Amino acid sequence: MLLLHGVRSDRTQMLGRARFLNRAGYAALLIDLPGHGQSTGDRITFGAREAAGVKAALEFLRRESPGERTAVIGVSLGAAATVLTLPSPAPDAVVLESMYPTIEDAVTNRLTMVLGPAGAVLAGPLLWQLPLRADVSASDLRPIERIARLGAPALIASGAQDRHTTWAETERLFNAAAGPKEIWRVEGAGHVDLHAYGPGAYERRVLGFLAKYLRSEG
């Protein structure tokens, strides 16, 4: 299992998940994505450059454990980086939590939360600065345009009350994904750590999903 944290966090965010996965018999690798924690990098690119960390970690797992099935749990930034890298070969399963469909959606939602309707007007000028501030373009940050090519069974989850990535946006991602796929609406949750929000429900849902693709013989 490769566990990938959210933006402005580090690998310690995923310790709770690592513990329950270990109890269930899975080995877990936790990494700091580029520009986070102890990893090098001088800027956050919302998944574009962080994707290189996902690719490197999956290659490491394949070298160290050849023949073993591999899965990814990515939270927000970690989820986006997984989809944007389009790892090849694809993992055997992915859990994508609270992932934005496009950077335009992400920026507009966050500005609107703070500024109200004026936030949508200001999103455009801010997005124009992406190449200068992060050395990436908005076209590089549209997971919804790549998710159909991910090539892995996907569990797509978010909080019903998430205003950073709305439920309607999560449904758009689900509709764009190729099967096999599942969607999970976490009632009452906002843009929070879904495992910490409801550990029991999270562990049951995720372990059930993983068992289908990591422990089946077919």
Side-chain angles (χ1 to χ4, degrees), residues 4 31-32 34 57 109 125 160 182-183 211 218:
L4 303 170
I31 67 168
D32 290 333
N109 290 347
E182 299 179 14
I183 190 169

Side-chain angles (χ1 to χ4, degrees), residues 157-190:
S158 74
Q161 307 305 317
D162 192 338
R163 296 174 63 195
H164 293 75
T165 298
T166 67
W167 181 249
E169 290 167 359
T170 300
E171 289 183 313
R172 283 169 49 204
L173 284 163
F174 177 75
N175 291 335
K181 58 185 178 179
E182 299 179 14
I183 190 169
W184 182 30
R185 176 183 170 107
V186 183
E187 296 297 337

